[in-house]
Amino acid sequence: MSFTSLEFIGFLLAVVVLYYIVPKKYRWIELLVASYTFYLINGIPQIAFIIATTLITYFAAIIMQKRRDRYKAELDAVRDQITKEEKQVMKKTANSYIHTVQVLAVLADLIILAVVKYLGFVLDNVNSVFASFNSDFSLTLPHIIVPLGISFYTFASMGYLIDIGRGKYNAERNVAKLALFVSFFPTIIQGPICRFDEVAPGLFEGHELKYDNLKFGAQLIMWGFFKKMVIADRAALYVTEVFSTGYDKYSGTALFFGMFMYAVQIYGDFSGGIDIARGAAQMMGIELPNNFERPYFSQSVAEYWRRWHITLGAWMREYVFFPIMLSKPVSGLSKKARKVSAYLAKMVPSVITPFIVFILIGIWHGASWKYVAFGLYNAIIVASSVALDPVFDKLNKLLKINTEAFSWRVFRIIRTFLILGVSKILVKAPSLTTAIDILRKIFTEADLNFFKLTQESEIFSIGINPANMLVLAFGVFILFVTSCFQESGIHIRESLAKQNLVFRWVIYIIALILILVFGMYGSAYNAADFIYKAY
Amino acid sequence: MNKKQIIRTVAFLLLVGVLLYFLCDLFEYGNNYITKRYKTYKSFEENTVDGVFIGTSGVDRYWIAPQAYEEYGMTVYPFSVDALPSWLVIDMIKEARKYQNPQLIMIDIRPFASPVSPDKTLTENRAKRVIDMLDFFSPLRIDAIKRTDEVMTEKYSDYDTDIITYYLTFINSHNKWDSEDFTFDDIGSTKSTHLGMYFVKKFISKKKLEPFKAYTGTKELDPINEKYLNELLDYIEAEGLNVLFIDTPHNMKEEVAMQSNRVCEILNDRGIACINYNTAEGLAACDFDYKNDFYEGSHTNFYGATKFTNVLSKYISENYQLPDRRGDEACEEWNGVYERTLKTIKKWEKAKAKK
């Protein structure tokens, strides 16, 4: 059931209505039933995976919690009777046990994800190695349909387990409540990746019916529909064609424009889906974290990853980046580097860690070498910008560049966008070799005639006609203007709420007309599934 | 939520409902001339239309209502939809009878003689022309949707259209904004200016054809067509309607011609009047000039339609007692239409000659 389908709209309306009918203390149960119903509609066999992950996570968390509670109780009983060293031994024993359970449970969740999503890729590569030695030996895997949202709910579960392991909060005793956290239907298709302590109170507490929640939630959903159906799915017409296996018949400029269109498509698609998820949750008074903060306004790749897929970046920072940075091996390496220079000591963890994080981010996106290359590329950019930061500082001073100037900011935004464009080609191209070839063509086969806007121009012969290109340009313009307002700190929905009724209704009706008339849906189009649904 | 907020929400939802209704009207599937034809029919005063000709484009490209009125004073209206599916003929008749009390109902045989297409999208779109034409809240529209859904489910194993897309037509037709069919000119416009006849410039173009073959022999009908033909005949008998089935002359494959013959056979067995103009006698009666009387194999042009209307209106005048409505104040809007039609035709001919 796609977010932009009539079925989902009907489903959501039913869930929201029922939510407010059901007595407050049982509303979380209604959400759990709705979430599992949603999951079942999307595929019955795959439900075994989410149940398995939920149960592993639940029991492991309970075991860790019980061990921690026992440790605290034992310590309280003998606190005045034992030495400091004995207390440390008690703590170390408890922590070791908890840590072991945490690691095993996280591994178990990861193994489920790895088998479903990555084993095929691994086997393909193993078979390729055997084939290169002219061996007939080959391993096969039965076809497994990747369960809906497995990457998202697995990460959410692992984050929960690590938090429990750290003693950040107590484990949830009610398995059904944990099941709701893992399976909450607005987040299951493409996130955001939620932290238990951030969303649980909102999920489990029954909320009062508030007009503002319904209104703002519906507005956010509409905005998500606009981004997805008017912008993203329209840009997809061009992108699908130009990045197909027939890409070599297009000029380098056409492919470069395809990079731009893909950037528009992926942002509209992903952020649109998140808006719909957050809007749906908001209608029931539940707040989900934001996942995008106008990422194309970023002035560096590092900043981009703080604005794009924010919850994944935050998860990586919390559970991968900082633990690695502070780990003994990395700290040890840094200490050794200090013998050479203080600068190197600072750089070692700042350079090594991004490589690990971004390769993981790349692999998270998919089981293919192109995603590994995507991760490596981003790692190189981020690591080198950290390492070369003092050099750039000196260069700016030497060239007397005013780094506070608006023009400098625009330059950095465009530069960052172009740098990221390369990584987008790595993701979108059918394979790594194709991506490399596309990049070669972009740099060597420019054709400025591409932008001559006549009926015969190449730009209008690649999947999208002039009328649709005009609609797309208009949609992107609206998105850009809205983003500029938001970037300057203006909250659009709240600002709109302060306007007069007639003005507001005119805006809402115009928005609705734009979606209903220009949206890419219905049998007239094959509207693209949400891209991140496959993750 | 307080009372004010509830009222506002309800008011906004009503506004959205009006918007959806407007969008359905704007983005109806069928061509605008079909809706105009229908709305014109609805606008006639009660008991002023004495005959209706129900069917496909084999009706409005053949029957020139203003000509028949001019010559005989008969008010026989072409109540037709392009490629009308067999299962919706009965709904068209019921719809026609809602607004008028026609003494004669002529029914095009083509819906029952042409097998249902294996292309499900084509079949669905043909049904949508009728569904989108009918009034939004009409019970017959709901009936047409249900029938279509049943037929599609029976015929196509991969049929997966959401039934709501029939009710909210813009869901599948909103992409019309990008096509030549889309025009704001027809919003609010109700009139077909030439009493429902097909009236576009293409109607004077000519295509040279080989003389049509008259096939004898019969072939079993498509089961769906046979089912709905029998249902229609039961309805006609139950209601005691005065009907005349007609197969207008056109170029057909032998298989279709034989099914047309089979329809006539069924009608004859049930004692229902039928004229097949695709027989040797029928074609001879029309006396077509195959160089000048058709704009394509399936349809006459204006010149061929003039001949056909002559033949059929003469037949009607000799065999049915339809009143002469000339001079009837209630039929004022039928007056002068034929003259106007001929003037426009002359203008088109002049313009064409200049090119």
Side-chain angles (χ1 to χ4, degrees):
Chain A
M1 199 197 302
S2 165
F3 270 171
T4 51
S5 65
L6 282 169
E7 289 83 8
F8 178 75
I9 294 169
F11 174 83
L12 177 63
L13 280 172
V15 171
V16 170
V17 166
L18 278 170
Y19 182 81
Y20 290 114
I21 289 174
V22 162
K24 232 170 150 182
K25 70 179 198 174
Y26 301 120
R27 285 177 183 170
W28 69 270
I29 298 176
E30 190 261 356
L31 290 179
L32 176 66
V33 170
S35 299
Y36 267 75
T37 305
F38 183 83
Y39 208 88
L40 282 167
I41 289 169
N42 282 280
I44 295 171
Q46 291 79 44
I47 204 162
F49 293 99
I50 195 171
I51 290 174
T53 300
T54 303
L55 290 175
I56 289 169
T57 306
Y58 171 76
F59 284 116
I62 292 295
I63 290 169
M64 286 193 278
Q65 186 65 47
K66 279 187 174 167
R67 185 62 184 90
R68 177 168 284 112
D69 290 345
R70 184 158 64 91
Y71 154 72
K72 281 181 182 167
E74 282 170 358
L75 183 64
D76 281 342
V78 299
R79 190 183 292 278
D80 298 328
Q81 297 156 32
I82 58 173
T83 64
K84 190 178 169 187
E85 289 73 26
E86 282 169 332
K87 284 178 191 170
Q88 278 178 346
V89 165
M90 270 182 81
K91 186 178 178 183
K92 197 176 170 183
T93 309
N95 282 346
S96 172
Y97 181 87
I98 289 167
H99 185 69
T100 304
V101 172
Q102 177 200 301
V103 166
L104 286 173
V106 166
L107 267 175
D109 283 348
L110 258 180
I111 285 168
I112 294 173
L113 174 65
V115 164
V116 165
K117 208 170 155 183
Y118 299 102
L119 190 58
F121 169 64
V122 168
L123 292 183
D124 283 345
N125 282 279
V126 166
N127 291 337
S128 298
V129 168
F130 279 113
S132 67
F133 289 107
N134 295 320
S135 168
D136 290 331
F137 179 81
S138 85
L139 297 163
T140 53
L141 188 70
H143 176 65
I144 303 174
I145 298 172
V146 178
L148 181 69
I150 188 168
S151 299
F152 296 99
Y153 70 69
T154 302
F155 270 51
S157 302
M158 291 195 299
Y160 170 74
L161 282 167
I162 296 169
D163 286 346
I164 299 297
R166 288 174 180 174
K168 201 172 168 192
Y169 43 80
N170 290 338
E172 174 55 57
R173 299 273 173 183
N174 187 327
V175 67
K177 283 187 174 176
L178 185 69
L180 172 57
F181 163 70
V182 174
S183 67
F184 186 45
F185 75 91
T187 65
I188 206 75
I189 289 185
Q190 50 182 152
I193 299 171
C194 298
R195 306 252 194 115
F196 184 82
D197 54 336
E198 284 176 357
V199 301
L203 274 181
F204 306 149
E205 166 198 335
H207 298 279
E208 290 288 342
L209 172 60
K210 281 185 185 162
Y211 180 69
D212 278 356
N213 282 339
L214 289 176
K215 186 174 73 172
F216 288 140
Q219 285 170 9
L220 195 52
I221 289 172
M222 219 159 59
W223 182 232
F225 269 66
F226 179 78
K227 284 200 271 187
K228 163 70 176 161
M229 287 161 61
V230 177
I231 299 175
D233 288 346
R234 187 166 264 102
L237 294 173
Y238 186 98
V239 170
T240 308
E241 176 59 31
V242 88
F243 284 108
S244 65
T245 48
Y247 74 93
D248 52 356
K249 62 178 181 272
Y250 299 115
S251 67
T253 312
L255 293 168
F256 173 77
F257 189 66
M259 176 200 83
F260 171 77
M261 291 285 251
Y262 181 63
V264 166
Q265 181 201 352
I266 190 77
Y267 177 64
D269 190 287
F270 199 3
S271 68
I274 293 294
D275 286 341
I276 294 170
R278 294 181 69 228
Q282 188 171 14
M283 288 183 84
M284 294 175 282
I286 299 161
E287 200 175 319
L288 294 177
N290 197 1
N291 224 12
F292 294 90
E293 290 278 347
R294 302 163 297 284
Y296 295 146
F297 282 72
S298 303
Q299 298 185 49
S300 68
V301 173
E303 185 186 354
Y304 171 83
W305 283 105
R306 288 193 295 275
R307 291 186 184 229
W308 176 279
H309 205 345
I310 295 168
T311 55
L312 177 64
W315 195 98
M316 286 291 178
R317 261 195 312 279
E318 177 77 22
Y319 303 116
V320 178
F321 187 85
F322 288 131
I324 292 176
M325 278 272 274
L326 301 170
S327 67
K328 279 187 185 151
V330 174
S331 305
L333 212 58
S334 186
K335 271 185 193 152
K336 283 182 187 162
R338 199 179 298 280
K339 292 175 187 167
V340 178
S341 78
Y343 169 75
L344 200 61
K346 191 181 159 201
M347 284 300 114
V348 158
S350 304
V351 167
I352 291 174
T353 320
F355 271 87
I356 299 170
V357 169
F358 278 105
I359 287 172
L360 284 175
I361 288 177
I363 293 169
W364 180 89
H365 278 79
S368 166
W369 286 114
K370 67 176 186 173
Y371 293 115
V372 175
F374 162 79
L376 263 174
Y377 175 79
N378 277 277
I380 290 168
I381 299 292
V382 169
S384 56
S385 66
V386 168
L388 295 171
D389 200 36
V391 174
F392 289 134
D393 266 344
K394 280 189 183 147
L395 206 58
N396 288 339
K397 280 179 185 144
L398 192 68
L399 297 172
K400 291 189 173 47
I401 291 172
N402 178 4
T403 55
E404 301 301 313
F406 175 74
S407 54
W408 181 246
R409 193 176 165 211
V410 170
F411 162 73
R412 291 188 71 188
I413 289 171
I414 295 172
R415 180 205 63 188
T416 304
F417 183 86
L418 291 172
I419 290 171
L420 286 162
V422 171
S423 72
K424 295 215 185 290
I425 289 173
L426 287 169
V427 165
K428 187 54 191 170
S431 69
L432 181 56
T433 43
T434 308
I436 292 167
D437 197 39
I438 287 172
L439 287 164
R440 178 195 60 78
K441 282 180 70 98
I442 286 173
F443 286 108
T444 60
E445 292 179 25
D447 173 20
L448 293 176
N449 287 326
F450 179 82
F451 291 109
K452 273 190 191 161
L453 298 176
T454 63
Q455 288 275 7
E456 293 76 33
S457 296
E458 190 186 11
I459 192 173
F460 297 133
S461 66
I462 306 175
I464 187 165
N465 63 19
N468 275 294
M469 189 65 88
L470 193 61
V471 171
L472 177 59
F474 177 68
V476 170
F477 174 73
I478 292 185
L479 182 58
F480 177 72
V481 166
T482 313
S483 300
C484 286
F485 279 129
Q486 289 169 329
E487 191 73 2
S488 3
I490 297 171
H491 297 286
I492 304 287
R493 284 183 292 163
E494 287 76 2
S495 299
L496 198 54
K498 290 177 191 161
Q499 307 308 312
N500 290 322
L501 182 73
V502 172
F503 179 79
R504 294 201 314 265
W505 281 21
V506 165
I507 296 291
Y508 301 151
I509 293 295
I510 289 173
L512 205 51
I513 290 172
L514 287 175
I515 294 166
L516 291 173
V517 174
F518 297 114
M520 306 283 289
Y521 65 93
S523 66
Y525 303 106
N526 285 321
D529 259 342
F530 282 97
I531 297 169
Y532 272 73
K533 182 178 151 188
Y535 293 128
Chain B
M1 272 173 84
N2 59 39
K3 204 171 163 187
K4 191 174 162 189
Q5 288 167 341
I6 292 171
I7 292 170
R8 241 186 241 176
T9 305
V10 169
F12 185 77
L13 289 173
L14 284 171
L15 189 60
V16 170
V18 168
L19 172 69
L20 293 180
Y21 178 80
F22 170 74
L23 287 176
C24 285
D25 191 43
L26 193 61
F27 290 103
E28 64 189 13
Y29 181 75
N31 293 323
N32 293 321
Y33 60 76
I34 294 174
T35 313
K36 279 182 172 179
R37 186 180 300 138
Y38 168 66
K39 287 182 178 174
T40 303
Y41 180 78
K42 276 172 49 175
S43 73
F44 291 136
E45 258 189 64
E46 264 184 58
N47 298 317
T48 58
V49 178
D50 297 315
V52 285
F53 195 170
I54 307 277
T56 66
S57 55
V59 166
D60 52 88
R61 270 78 155 172
Y62 286 76
W63 178 253
I64 302 176
Q67 179 187 335
Y69 177 78
E70 181 76 11
E71 286 172 20
Y72 297 97
M74 60 176 73
T75 52
V76 177
Y77 193 82
F79 195 54
S80 56
V81 173
D82 297 357
L84 175 67
S86 58
W87 59 92
L88 297 179
V89 174
I90 194 170
D91 283 330
M92 290 286 283
I93 293 173
K94 287 178 181 176
E95 187 71 6
R97 293 181 70 208
K98 252 167 66 177
Y99 300 99
Q100 297 286 337
N101 188 21
Q103 295 174 41
L104 171 65
I105 299 173
M106 296 194 287
I107 302 170
D108 182 6
I109 281 177
R110 292 195 203 194
F112 304 101
S114 310
V116 179
S117 172
D119 182 337
K120 75 170 189 249
T121 306
L122 186 62
T123 305
E124 193 176 288
N125 291 343
R126 285 173 172 169
K128 277 186 187 158
R129 287 197 185 109
V130 179
I131 292 165
D132 291 4
M133 178 196 81
L134 296 170
D135 279 340
F136 194 81
F137 296 108
S138 160
L140 277 173
R141 182 168 182 258
I142 296 168
D143 185 64
I145 291 169
K146 283 185 186 157
R147 284 167 167 269
T148 302
D149 195 56
E150 270 167 30
V151 168
M152 298 294 291
T153 306
E154 184 189 327
K155 172 87 180 167
Y156 306 101
S157 57
D158 59 341
Y159 170 63
D160 61 356
T161 296
D162 212 324
I163 199 168
I164 198 166
T165 62
Y166 290 116
Y167 289 100
L168 298 177
T169 56
F170 70 84
I171 290 173
N172 280 336
S173 314
H174 65 284
N175 62 322
K176 247 173 94 164
W177 68 267
D178 190 22
S179 77
E180 289 166 358
D181 284 337
F182 182 72
T183 165
F184 283 105
D185 292 344
D186 298 305
I187 298 172
S189 154
T190 59
K191 295 293 190 179
S192 158
T193 48
H194 297 271
L195 297 174
M197 66 179 280
Y198 183 66
F199 203 66
V200 297
K201 285 182 189 164
K202 188 165 69 168
F203 203 36
I204 62 166
S205 55
K206 298 172 184 178
K207 184 176 179 176
K208 187 180 166 189
L209 300 174
E210 290 302 312
F212 297 157
K213 282 189 192 157
Y215 295 101
T216 54
T218 59
K219 184 178 191 277
E220 284 308 307
L221 303 184
D222 182 307
I224 289 173
N225 289 343
E226 181 155 5
K227 174 183 167 187
Y228 288 100
L229 173 63
N230 285 319
E231 182 200 49
L232 175 63
L233 296 179
D234 291 342
Y235 169 76
I236 286 167
E237 283 165 4
E239 295 287 308
L241 300 179
N242 189 15
V243 302
L244 169 64
F245 278 77
I246 293 177
D247 197 8
T248 52
H250 61 290
N251 199 6
M252 285 187 278
K253 286 184 185 162
E254 185 176 0
E255 156 188 338
V256 175
M258 287 168 72
Q259 288 182 68
S260 174
N261 293 340
R262 174 64 187 138
V263 171
C264 291
E265 199 174 75
I266 293 170
L267 294 169
N268 287 332
D269 287 345
R270 289 180 75 155
I272 292 176
C274 162
I275 307 176
N276 186 348
Y277 284 100
N278 291 289
T279 59
E281 299 78 19
L283 289 169
C286 295
D287 190 28
F288 288 124
D289 174 356
Y290 287 93
K291 273 198 285 194
N292 292 307
D293 287 347
F294 293 87
Y295 75 82
E296 55 170 34
S298 302
H299 302 106
T300 51
N301 56 19
F302 175 76
Y303 314 104
T306 301
K307 287 181 184 171
F308 181 79
T309 305
N310 270 336
V311 169
L312 182 56
S313 55
K314 185 166 185 272
Y315 178 85
I316 294 168
S317 71
E318 287 168 358
N319 292 279
Y320 296 91
Q321 283 71 52
L322 297 186
D324 183 341
R325 294 282 197 164
R326 286 171 292 193
D328 187 341
E329 269 179 30
C331 297
E332 179 59 39
E333 63 193 300
W334 290 70
N335 294 330
V337 178
Y338 189 55
E339 197 184 316
R340 199 160 29 86
T341 302
L342 291 177
K343 270 191 186 146
T344 308
I345 293 290
K346 279 203 170 74
K347 233 170 47 181
W348 290 350
E349 283 168 343
K350 265 192 194 151
K352 195 176 170 193
K354 277 184 192 163
K355 279 188 189 165

